[in-house]
Amino acid sequence: MVKETKLYDQLNVRPDATQEEIKKGYRKAALKWHPDKNKDNPNAAEKFKECSQAYEILADPEKRKIYDQFGLEYLLRGGAAPPPGENPFAGAQAGDMPSGFQGFDFGTGGGMPGGGARSFHFTTSGGGGGNPFHFSNPQEIFEQFVRNGGSGGFGDTEDPLFNVFGGSRASGGRSSRMRGFPDGESYRGSNTREPAAPEVTTVERALPLSLEEMFNGTNKKMKIKRKTFDETGKRTTSDQVLEVPIKAGLKKGSKIKFKGVGDQEEGGKQDLHFIVEEKAHPLFVRDGDDLIHTIELDLKEALTGWKRTVTTIDEKQILIEKAGPTGPGMSDSYPGLGMPISKKPGERGNFIVKYNVKFPTSLTAQQKQQLKVIL
């Protein structure tokens, strides 16, 4: 039996969970509540903090053992384990704090531990509390989890949070800052607040591409102007040419990111994101990985038959011949002749040919009579 299950509940695991199950539970909770994925949810930062603090204790076998036996409050004050059966808070009167708890704020209005809901905000002020435990920054707990392989083996390894926090961002001086906390400040185990570091901004720029460029893939050279400070602190403007890689099958709305290539500002150099836009094409319309081509038919062709030669985007020739009537809205699909599928090298979408029947805008009385006889 464990004294309490609150930290296990934070990770949605049983008190007898293995370390692997605790890791999985934390990973799921951290991804669900991370402030970067919940910018419109003011409660997410607190949820993320709580699950990170729960993981910090439960992932440490020694801290977990103390927590299981004596509970969170006893672990936080760093007291020695009491004799078997002894209540570590025995003798305390209502409104008093046991030795070692003088600086704690349990969010209960100044009452005894055990009364009402508690938060984890606390400071210590000495006393017979041994070696009090201080929670780490929730963001740092998460980043350390990722660096230690927490993103692997559980699926969803392409989550962008693991790309951001498992690599360069942690070394850029921004890992100590936690978006989503009040005033953009980081959370610490104590109530001390640190000044927020300036956030480097991101500039977005449109990158119009033709269907042929998105089909074949290419490298585009883009000239940009950037403002920096020279050795004397004077603001200068210079030109820079970026080589932008265009992957075959890239879709509109995709972002191609360059770090630290923009204007220099207080927090560092701006990041630049190119947003792919698709130029209109005279022959084809793209729909996902498919390409659509429309053939215009007059009514006589649609009724009596017709023949066309169609050219695909990679210049293959397709002969299409219909002997019978072709109805409005009909289409034919040719697999593997559409756009490359970027996540499946060597595979392509479909080439879809649609038929649009043009009806006459007017008929003479004789033509109407002839059609009534024929049809």
Side-chain angles (χ1 to χ4, degrees):
M1 291 289 292
V2 298
K3 183 174 180 61
E4 59 184 65
T5 64
K6 182 173 183 177
L7 298 188
Y8 293 102
D9 296 340
Q10 295 288 355
L11 304 183
N12 197 26
V13 296
R14 303 185 311 273
D16 60 350
T18 64
Q19 282 297 313
E20 198 69 15
E21 289 170 336
I22 289 173
K23 288 181 181 179
K24 289 182 180 181
Y26 173 58
R27 183 183 187 281
K28 184 176 181 180
L31 288 181
K32 178 179 180 181
W33 296 115
H34 197 286
D36 280 1
K37 301 181 75 173
N38 296 273
K39 296 178 181 179
D40 297 327
N41 183 355
N43 298 321
E46 184 69 17
K47 294 285 189 181
F48 177 74
K49 178 190 68 179
E50 290 176 355
C51 70
S52 296
Q53 292 173 341
Y55 176 74
E56 183 176 25
I57 289 178
L58 298 181
D60 185 314
E62 290 300 319
K63 293 184 180 67
R64 182 182 179 185
K65 182 178 179 180
I66 297 173
Y67 171 73
D68 286 346
Q69 291 180 339
F70 308 114
L72 179 60
E73 293 167 1
Y74 194 72
L75 174 66
L76 294 181
R77 73 165 181 168
E86 181 179 325
N87 180 357
F89 307 124
Q93 302 298 319
D96 294 335
M97 276 293 178
S99 175
F101 278 81
Q102 292 87 344
F104 282 26
D105 175 12
F106 290 99
T108 62
M112 267 286 293
R118 307 181 183 91
S119 64
F120 294 162
H121 303 279
F122 61 91
T123 57
T124 58
S125 57
N131 185 21
F133 172 72
H134 294 261
F135 285 116
S136 302
N137 183 308
Q139 181 69 3
E140 293 174 356
I141 296 173
F142 179 70
E143 291 179 7
Q144 186 64 41
F145 175 77
V146 175
R147 286 193 292 269
N148 289 342
S151 61
F154 307 128
D156 297 329
T157 56
E158 294 184 357
D159 193 290
L161 280 176
F162 289 120
N163 296 328
V164 171
F165 298 120
S168 60
R169 183 171 181 180
S171 61
R174 285 183 281 178
S175 63
S176 64
R177 185 164 180 257
M178 177 69 153
R179 285 202 297 248
F181 281 100
D183 303 321
E185 296 175 353
S186 61
Y187 174 80
R188 298 289 179 180
S190 70
N191 287 331
T192 303
R193 290 185 173 183
E194 297 180 353
E199 183 89 14
V200 174
T201 57
T202 298
V203 177
E204 294 186 345
R205 180 173 171 180
L207 179 61
L209 298 174
S210 67
L211 270 181
E212 284 79 7
E213 289 173 322
M214 299 164 79
F215 174 83
N216 294 304
T218 185
N219 287 321
K220 288 186 72 73
K221 291 185 177 180
M222 303 293 292
K223 185 177 181 180
I224 65 170
K225 291 185 179 295
R226 57 187 310 206
K227 297 178 181 179
T228 57
F229 296 100
D230 62 16
E231 296 178 353
T232 65
K234 183 181 178 181
R235 189 81 156 167
T236 61
T237 301
S238 59
D239 293 335
Q240 182 176 357
V241 177
L242 299 178
E243 192 165 288
V244 184
I246 309 301
K247 186 178 180 181
L250 199 65
K251 296 178 181 178
K252 65 180 179 180
S254 300
K255 292 185 179 182
I256 304 172
K257 302 178 181 180
F258 288 83
K259 186 175 179 64
V261 299
D263 292 347
Q264 187 175 9
E265 50 189 21
E266 185 180 354
K269 294 178 180 177
Q270 292 175 330
D271 297 339
L272 175 60
H273 293 178
F274 287 102
I275 311 298
V276 173
E277 293 183 354
E278 183 183 301
K279 295 180 182 179
H281 197 279
L283 298 176
F284 310 118
V285 174
R286 184 175 184 177
D287 182 13
D289 297 316
D290 298 335
L291 286 177
I292 300 172
H293 176 71
T294 300
I295 293 179
E296 301 287 343
L297 302 172
D298 59 37
L299 183 59
K300 182 172 69 174
E301 287 180 309
L303 292 174
T304 62
W306 54 274
K307 180 167 61 175
R308 295 281 197 285
T309 298
V310 176
T311 302
T312 65
I313 193 169
D314 53 346
E315 300 184 348
K316 288 184 172 62
Q317 303 290 314
I318 302 175
L319 177 63
I320 304 177
E321 186 172 2
K322 301 286 184 180
T326 301
M330 292 180 62
S331 65
D332 290 305
S333 182
Y334 299 86
L337 293 179
M339 294 293 289
I341 302 175
S342 59
K343 294 184 178 180
K344 297 180 180 180
E347 296 188 26
R348 291 171 60 182
N350 301 321
F351 181 61
I352 300 172
V353 180
K354 293 185 176 181
Y355 309 112
N356 182 43
V357 180
K358 296 181 291 184
F359 286 79
T361 57
S362 63
L363 293 172
T364 65
Q366 183 180 359
Q367 288 173 328
K368 293 178 182 179
Q369 185 61 37
Q370 288 175 334
L371 285 174
K372 288 179 182 179
V373 173
I374 295 172
L375 300 176

